Amino acid sequence: MDKFLVKISKSKKNTKTNAEKNVGLSEENLHSIEKKRSKIDIVPNTKDINQIQNAVSSDVVTSKSDQTTNTLLESDNFIQDPGEKSTNALILFSSGFGPYQPNNIIFPQHSGRKFRPEWYSSFPWIEYSPSSNSAFCFYCRAFPSNTSDPTFVSVGFKQWSKASYKSFPQHEKSFGYKEASAKLAGYKSSKKSGSIISKVNTHHQQIVADNRAYLKCILDSLLYCARQGIAVRGHREDEDSSNKGNFLELLTLRANDNDIIQRYFIEKEKTFRYVSGDYTNTFLEYLANIVIKNIIDNVIAAGIFSIIVDETQDLSRHEQVAIIIRYATKDLSPAEVFLGFYETETTDGETLSMLIKSTFVSHGLKIENIRGQCYDGAAPMRGSYKGVQARIREENHLAMYIHCNAHILNLCLIDLAKQVSYVRNVFGTLNTLHNFIGASSKRHAIFEKMYSVLNVSTCDGPKTLKSLSDTRWSCRLDALKAVLLNFQTVVSTLENISENDAVYVSDANALLKSINTFEFLFCIYFLKNIMLLTNVLSKYLQSSSIIYSNVQSMAKVTIQELCNMRCEESFNNTWNEVDILRKQYNVSSPILPRKQKIPAKLGGGLKEVENTIINKHYKINIYFAVLDNIINDMGERFEENNLYVLNCMQDILLNDMPNNNSFKEINKMYGFDEDNLKAETTILNRMYKTVHDQNNVQSKINFIASENYKAGFPTLTRLIQLLITVPTNSASCERSFSCLRRLKTYLRTTMGQSRLNSLGILQIERERSSLIDKDEVIDKFSAAAECRGHRLLLQ
């Protein structure tokens, strides 16, 4: 091949010399040769064979000027001479040459006949070999096949007497010639319009692009339903249904402005629409897996993490376990991420611990990297021997247990309602009052009517009565405020019912007698002030961004404020304010409680009242008793999370001169280098003082993160990361249960666990789900669907 190309190049260099020797080739002839040299791709041609032959004849036929050009190569006839074995017709054709048809030569006779140049015009495929005095077919030589006639390909035709009326016409009708002509025509046409392969490839790419665009529309619609927490499927999804469900109805709506959805979904251009329940479950699973992968990558990059676990029962009576992971981000801020809902049959410590471990193994997380675990106060979770926290600590002693601080505060308020009789009676009356008015639409209508008639202005407060719940943490404050702000409306409603409702007159009178007293008014007003303080702490403890030191500080301040309320001045202020309300609502004056009877077996008689002064009775038996109870209870319960090792961390980060025992304890438990930790703490404190006046742990953490001092304080950064990783509450699990209630409604109780988990991940991790690469989802789907038979082309 290389020798052949060299010969062609030599012939080009000698073009002018040969022309001068023979026919005097002009400059126009030279340009015509160069124009024919171009790259051409081989492609099949589907035209009718007669049209192909005409096209080939018009393009390849050698004109008179081309004959002059062919004469150019007579001196190097071995290059184009078809009789030469080294001559390659396909290479010549791709270089711009046509059939070799010399004119200005002497054609020798064979059997009394000789080749006639007129045949060039009648049969444009003919080429003549001076060396062998024979004719060949240029088309068949360029594209030979098994059906090609070897006479016109390699041997050479010499029977001139049969040429024009028999052999040449017969050859044009042969299958080998027609096949070669078609290939040659396609070869020529690809020069202008591109090859069929490239056209097929372009068409294939367009189909793939449209198919992928359609699947992206499906994924967008599914993501919208998932992130909004609305149902995906409908009850009936056939063509006759007037409501096919949110997913299909959303696609129908989008088809009005989206041509791809219109073609694929409405007009059903493709057989597969991928909108059935199995496909939507598959897509939701892929979408959720991408979110989980992003979460796991971040957790693994952090190195250490903590777990937060809680369980609840859904509407299908299945126990759902929510698993949350807490870790420190690169900018030293805490992050709590949702790992999923997991169904379990039992909720004992062994089952839950095995569930947690198997989940970690499936996601590539290691138990030894856990540094904290936070649960509620249930025995299966916090049990010292067989609880989840004990079983986890058997494998990793560094996984310290934190009792959820929000649950601790809630338990303090529940105990308050149980231990003090006056508080217990008040909350019992509130609960009965809510059930009595709210349980009947008729009685509730009376309440609303009285509200509008009295023109009560509650500002931003509640306008209806609120129920009580042991798990809804702010419900007590809402219930107290609702009655206090709508006190006159409640009294008027009960009076109306007692006058007009013969069935419930006794219940209305009993409630009216209970609430229309100074004692009830004093208790709800006083308890409201206490709940306002504890509610601030309750809301703060539900944040996922707080750390241990902030919790301890906030709890101490709240307890201190409650202690400040326990004084004569504060009681007098409360007494006076309630007395104003008593006069405003026309409530009876305060009285001492009736004397209790002593049982006859104990001697009989009446029990003497300890305090004969009314306000002193309220101060000692109600005001101080309630405050003492909640102050002591909060102090004892929050002491459970007052862990020594966490206090050592706080001491190192907070104080200018930390205790040496703090460094030793950290070194003993976590293996930190004591000397490096001391040196970094000293330098950090000096640098921090130059720019900040306030001294707290959070501000120092922000200082290191904002100034990018992490590289300069590696040991201290690890300590901060550890402190941030330790959880303080399980409120994230409680929020996930709110999502669970929105997802699994009474109309969706048959939802499968896989779909429930996927929808929960996509809704709770909304920020991550909005960044999903849909091409990645389509690639995964395409790779997993290779054996499904006929489907949309996606690759």
Side-chain angles (χ1 to χ4, degrees), residues 53-69:
Q53 185 171 349
N54 294 334
V56 173
S57 300
S58 62
D59 287 338
V60 184
V61 63
T62 306
S63 61
K64 293 183 179 180
S65 61
D66 291 333
Q67 295 175 6
T68 306
T69 304

Side-chain angles (χ1 to χ4, degrees), residues 35-36 38-43 45 52 55-61 93-94 96-98 138-139 143 181-194:
K35 290 181 180 178
K36 291 185 178 183
S38 61
K39 293 182 179 179
I40 306 173
D41 298 327
I42 300 179
V43 294
N45 197 319
I52 293 173
V56 173
S57 300
S58 62
D59 287 338
V60 184
V61 63
F93 180 68
S94 63
F97 293 99
F138 181 73
Y139 301 168
F143 300 97
S181 300
K183 291 180 180 180
L184 188 70
Y187 207 106
K188 290 282 289 182
S189 64
S190 64
K191 178 179 179 181
K192 297 181 180 180
S193 59

Side-chain angles (χ1 to χ4, degrees), residues 446 449-450 491-501 508:
I446 296 173
K449 180 180 179 181
M450 291 300 171
V491 171
S492 299
T493 301
L494 294 176
E495 290 176 347
N496 184 285
I497 295 174
S498 64
E499 294 175 359
N500 302 315
D501 196 332

Side-chain angles (χ1 to χ4, degrees), residues 69-280:
T69 304
N70 289 334
T71 308
L72 167 68
L73 298 173
E74 288 182 5
S75 60
D76 294 326
N77 56 10
F78 58 88
I79 295 176
Q80 284 191 278
D81 191 339
E84 297 290 338
K85 299 299 182 182
S86 60
T87 302
N88 191 313
L90 180 58
I91 294 179
L92 288 171
F93 180 68
S94 63
S95 299
F97 293 99
Y100 184 56
Q101 299 176 347
N103 256 334
N104 299 330
I105 61 173
I106 298 175
F107 297 99
Q109 291 187 357
H110 178 75
S111 300
R113 299 293 182 93
K114 65 179 179 178
F115 183 85
R116 301 181 60 181
E118 292 82 5
W119 291 338
Y120 290 152
S121 301
S122 302
F123 306 100
W125 45 267
I126 287 179
E127 54 181 354
Y128 177 76
S129 171
S131 61
S132 62
N133 188 26
S134 58
F136 294 85
C137 176
F138 181 73
Y139 301 168
C140 293
R141 283 203 318 117
F143 300 97
S145 64
N146 294 332
T147 59
S148 300
D149 187 355
T151 302
F152 290 92
V153 176
S154 57
V155 178
F157 179 82
K158 297 182 179 180
Q159 298 181 2
W160 309 125
S161 60
K162 301 180 180 180
S164 60
Y165 72 93
K166 181 179 181 181
S167 298
F168 289 168
Q170 285 182 351
H171 179 68
E172 286 183 339
K173 297 178 181 179
S174 67
F175 184 80
Y177 170 82
K178 293 179 179 180
E179 182 179 1
S181 300
K183 291 180 180 180
L184 188 70
Y187 207 106
K188 290 282 289 182
S189 64
S190 64
K191 178 179 179 181
K192 297 181 180 180
S193 59
S195 66
I196 296 298
I197 295 177
S198 63
K199 291 181 179 180
V200 170
N201 186 45
T202 302
H203 182 63
H204 174 79
Q205 291 177 354
Q206 184 61 43
I207 292 177
V208 169
D210 290 347
N211 293 344
R212 293 177 74 93
Y214 172 64
L215 284 188
K216 286 181 180 179
C217 294
I218 290 180
L219 296 177
D220 287 335
S221 300
L222 282 176
L223 266 177
Y224 174 81
C225 295
R227 297 179 70 226
Q228 294 301 115
I230 58 179
V232 177
R233 311 303 306 180
H235 179 63
R236 290 178 61 245
E237 297 183 345
D238 53 62
E239 296 297 331
D240 298 330
S241 175
S242 60
N243 185 358
K244 301 181 180 65
N246 293 320
F247 173 55
L248 297 183
E249 292 293 340
L250 179 59
L251 284 176
T252 303
L253 177 64
R254 296 185 62 196
N256 295 330
D257 304 316
N258 191 308
D259 179 63
I260 292 292
I261 300 179
Q262 178 69 29
R263 288 164 44 201
Y264 282 59
F265 180 70
I266 303 298
E267 299 175 358
K268 300 180 181 180
E269 179 178 305
K270 302 294 181 179
T271 305
F272 284 81
R273 296 193 299 168
Y274 297 112
V275 294
S276 65
D278 292 337
Y279 283 120
T280 55

Side-chain angles (χ1 to χ4, degrees), residues 533 557-567 627 631:
L533 292 177
V557 171
T558 303
I559 295 175
Q560 185 60 45
E561 285 299 318
L562 291 173
C563 291
N564 294 337
M565 288 181 63
R566 195 186 184 282
C567 63
L627 287 174
I631 290 172

Side-chain angles (χ1 to χ4, degrees), residues 372-544:
Q373 41 184 336
C374 183
Y375 317 122
D376 59 13
M381 306 302 295
R382 63 170 297 180
S384 301
Y385 300 100
K386 295 184 178 180
V388 174
Q389 66 93 9
R391 295 176 184 273
I392 296 293
R393 294 194 70 178
E394 287 179 0
E395 299 187 27
N396 180 9
H397 70 282
L398 298 179
M400 67 179 70
Y401 166 65
I402 304 293
H403 187 185
C404 172
N405 288 281
H407 279 88
I408 288 178
L409 178 60
N410 193 55
L411 291 174
C412 294
L413 300 178
I414 293 175
D415 287 347
L416 174 65
K418 293 179 179 179
Q419 294 180 10
V420 181
S421 60
Y422 295 98
V423 176
R424 183 172 61 247
N425 295 337
V426 167
F427 281 121
T429 302
L430 290 177
N431 193 41
T432 304
L433 183 63
H434 172 268
N435 294 336
F436 179 72
I437 295 180
S440 170
S441 58
K442 179 180 178 180
R443 294 191 290 272
H444 188 266
I446 296 173
F447 177 85
E448 292 180 337
K449 180 180 179 181
M450 291 300 171
Y451 183 88
S452 60
V453 170
L454 295 174
N455 193 22
V456 178
S457 176
T458 59
C459 299
D460 295 331
K463 299 179 181 180
T464 57
L465 300 182
K466 304 297 181 181
S467 63
L468 297 177
S469 172
D470 289 343
T471 57
R472 194 152 40 88
W473 296 330
S474 62
C475 68
R476 292 172 185 81
L477 177 60
D478 295 338
L480 291 169
K481 291 173 65 176
V483 174
L484 190 61
L485 295 174
N486 300 283
F487 189 83
Q488 190 61 51
T489 304
V490 173
V491 171
S492 299
T493 301
L494 294 176
E495 290 176 347
N496 184 285
I497 295 174
S498 64
E499 294 175 359
N500 302 315
D501 196 332
V503 178
Y504 295 99
V505 60
S506 58
D507 295 336
N509 286 331
L511 284 172
L512 189 61
K513 184 177 179 181
S514 297
I515 70 171
N516 202 12
T517 62
F518 182 86
E519 179 184 314
F520 180 82
L521 196 61
F522 179 85
C523 286
I524 62 174
Y525 184 84
F526 168 50
L527 289 174
K528 184 207 70 170
N529 292 338
I530 293 179
M531 295 296 177
L532 284 173
L533 292 177
T534 58
N535 194 56
V536 174
L537 177 60
S538 177
K539 290 182 177 180
Y540 184 75
L541 292 179
Q542 296 174 41
S543 173
S544 61

Side-chain angles (χ1 to χ4, degrees), residues 702-736:
N702 296 337
F703 174 71
I704 293 179
S706 61
E707 300 296 337
N708 198 19
Y709 288 141
K710 291 183 292 184
F713 302 97
T715 309
L716 202 56
T717 300
R718 288 175 55 201
L719 180 66
I720 293 174
Q721 182 184 10
L722 182 59
L723 181 63
I724 292 174
T725 302
V726 175
T728 60
N729 61 77
S730 60
S732 295
C733 288
E734 302 291 343
R735 282 189 286 270
S736 70

